[in-house]
Amino acid sequence: RRRRRRMSAGAWARTGWRPRGSPQATGTAKGTRLWSFCWLMLAAWRGLLASACPASCKCSLERIWCNEPAADLKSFPALGKGAEGEKITDIYIANQRNLESINEVDVVGYIGLRNLTVVDSGLKFVARQAFQKNTNLQYINFSRNKLSSLFRKTFKHLNLTDLVLEGNPFKCSCDIMWIKIFQEARNPKAEAQDFYCMNDYNQRISLMEKPIPNCGLPSVKLSTHNLTVIEGGNITLYCDVTGSPTPNVAWVFSNIVSKYENHTNKNTASLTIKNASSNDSGLQISCVAENIVGEDQDSVDLSVFFAPTITFLENPYSDHHWCIPFSVRGNPQPTLTWLHDGVKLNESAFIFTRIHVSSQTEHHGCLQLDNPTHVNNGNYTLVAENPYGRDEANVSAYFMDDPGGSSPFYDHPGYSEDYGTPSNDFEDTTNNSNTVTSTDVSDKDNEDSITVYVVVGIAALVCTGLVVMLIILKFGRHSKFGMKVQLKQVGLVEQMWLSLQDCDNEGSVLFHKIPLDG
């Protein structure tokens, strides 16, 4: 025992023994407990998964497989309570002769399912809504089962890359023609694929050699692809439909404002739009025909012509450049013209119209002005025109005070002290309590002028004194009297320089306020 106490740390490392309470022993004990906890949680998770997994299958976190012939699986495998079915991505079932159907509720819990395989089994029926919730499905393999038909709508909403159905006794009818068309569409560059079915005499028939009569895709053709109408008018669109069996026809559009009537009970369907609204301009209208073989559709965009309307015209604001913002509606796109104080504005590289956002019926932009002066102050009129009408709106803009003083910038009734621009013509936002009157401005200008004159006079006097001192220093430099004067003048110059600095500090702000007419 005494020898163990005297053992060094190096000896402990060589023997692997640690005295109780040492840091090394404590760390090892913590690590062991952590690993034990992890193994315990893993065992618990496996136990939970094993209890939730169907008795005749094997399960992992993302996969379920049932391929033992002795399993005798009679219904689609479903996980027990507490299992996370949404994490399952693959289900593989094989050699299950008693599995005959996949119903609507069997696959609902497997939201993350991507690959589904049921092969060499007794599958006869797949419900129409079986995969309604399984939008992630990409691969389905139902080979070598007992399927005689399949609904096209069961798979219509899925983005499948593969649908393998070989080895099934499909009955020769229009119900299965969509399968052949689907496979040809998925592999257009592959060699011609044949598809077989069983006739009434239980004979195997090749659909490539002997297609099913009176069974084909529908065809849709609209009467026009240039659907235009003036606002408030009526227009009718026709849709010619062919196909066997006779397809169902439907008009498809969304959020239409105009009133409409549609007829789809004939080979030529019609849609009549009444009192067309400008809000429906750009609306896409589709005619869709569908039968058991497949579907077809044709679409057109509605264009409603209407007169321009200026929906927004606001005071100018400064953002790198000055901008008078506006918004205009109209179809076709209106021509925009600006007037400055009633005179047509000739746009240039410094004043021009810029459209920032544009759609079929709405256009948003601004009149951009680069470094405007008092010459650009005044009333601006925006005129919007197209073949169906005209609209105009006005706004006042003041960018700089008139140096002539005849129309002070601060005194203008439309001036906004917060933004330095006139307020909206349609809404008075001027704060009367902060209004600066013309008398106040004149008095303040006079006081500033007098102060500046005083400062300039003092500066001129100081400069004259400096010139006199320099002359005295030059001619009295070689005499004793000159040396005394020079010493005195050095101190005087320093005092004058400090005084000049004080004057400059006081007048630096005032120099910026000298009126242009002074």
Side-chain angles (χ1 to χ4, degrees), residues 257-277:
V257 178
S258 309
K259 296 180 179 180
Y260 64 91
E261 292 180 358
N262 67 84
H263 301 281
T264 58
N265 54 357
K266 299 179 181 180
N267 291 336
T268 301
S270 64
L271 174 68
T272 301
I273 297 175
K274 299 182 177 181
N275 192 19
S277 170

Side-chain angles (χ1 to χ4, degrees), residues 54 56-58 63-69 71-78 88 90-102 106-107 110 113 115-123 131 139 141-145:
S56 54
C57 302
K58 298 178 182 179
R63 193 166 184 253
I64 298 176
W65 63 98
C66 315
N67 58 349
E68 295 296 333
D72 195 23
L73 191 67
K74 295 182 179 180
S75 61
F76 197 85
I88 299 297
D90 293 84
I91 296 178
Y92 180 85
I93 300 173
N95 305 314
Q96 305 301 319
R97 297 299 177 183
N98 293 322
L99 178 62
E100 297 184 351
S101 64
I102 299 177
D106 290 340
V107 199
Y110 303 109
L113 186 63
N115 304 311
L116 174 61
T117 301
V118 181
V119 296
D120 299 312
S121 298
L123 188 62
F131 307 121
Y139 173 87
N141 186 350
F142 288 158
S143 299
R144 298 179 299 279
N145 282 282

Side-chain angles (χ1 to χ4, degrees), residues 161-172:
T161 57
D162 289 288
L163 178 60
V164 185
L165 299 170
E166 62 183 15
N168 284 282
F170 287 110
K171 185 179 179 180
C172 294

